[in-house]
């Protein structure tokens, strides 16, 4: 059974770049069909899909974040990474990585990590 684990700093200063890594076990990120997403949930708000990388390495981004987000992978480590530049306190959220058969990962389907809290504050 595939498992996903997010890792990264819990606190980031405004204007810096946030970097989070998702380590995958029990399945390869190059397996055809699957897409690997980043999703976040700000306090008191709903889930927001941020972007994804496909099994072939193609990337997909939310239009609202496309200018600041970058997703790339390290197939040798079976990991994929989110970088979000120029963060503000509005980027404070629990960040999740997920696997699904569609680009925009669905909460009730696929496999999700447990999530990691990121706070943007000086």
């Amino acid at each position: 059974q595939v498992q996903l684990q997010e890792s990264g700093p819990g606190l980031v200063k405004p204007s810096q770049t946030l970097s989070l890594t998702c380590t995958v076990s029990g399945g390869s990120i190059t397996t055809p069909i699957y897409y690997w997403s980043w999703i976040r949930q700000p306090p008191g708000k709903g889930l927001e899909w941020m972007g994804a990388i496909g099994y072939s390495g193609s990337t997909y981004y939310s239009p609202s974040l496309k200018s600041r987000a970058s997703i790339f992978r390290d197939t040798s480590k079976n990991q994929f990474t989110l970088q979000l530049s120029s963060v503000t306190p509005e980027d404070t959220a629990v960040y999740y990585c997920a696997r699904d058969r569609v680009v925009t990962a669905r909460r009730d389907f696929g496999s999700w990590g447990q999530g990691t809290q990121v706070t943007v504050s000086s």
Side-chain angles (χ1 to χ4, degrees), residues 38-40 42 48-51 60-71 82-88 90-91 95:
W38 284 99
I39 306 100
R40 68 181 180 180
E48 177 187 17
W49 178 81
M50 303 178 69
Y60 312 84
Y61 297 100
S62 166
S64 65
L65 294 170
K66 187 174 183 178
S67 63
R68 297 197 293 133
S70 178
I71 299 174
L82 167 73
Q83 288 190 338
L84 186 66
S85 64
S86 304
V87 297
T88 72
E90 292 185 347
D91 294 308
Y95 285 74

Side-chain angles (χ1 to χ4, degrees), residues 5-47:
Q5 180 66 58
E6 305 88 352
S7 61
L11 180 64
V12 183
K13 295 185 185 302
S15 80
Q16 291 186 339
T17 295
L18 165 66
S19 184
L20 295 174
T21 295
C22 183
T23 300
V24 179
S25 59
S28 172
I29 62 173
T30 60
T31 299
I33 295 179
Y34 292 115
Y35 298 88
W36 305 86
S37 285
W38 284 99
I39 306 100
R40 68 181 180 180
Q41 185 168 26
K45 297 184 179 180
L47 294 169

Side-chain angles (χ1 to χ4, degrees), residues 12 26 43 55 70 72 82 96 106:
V12 183
Y55 54 90
S70 178
F72 54 91
L82 167 73
Y96 300 90
R106 301 161 292 180

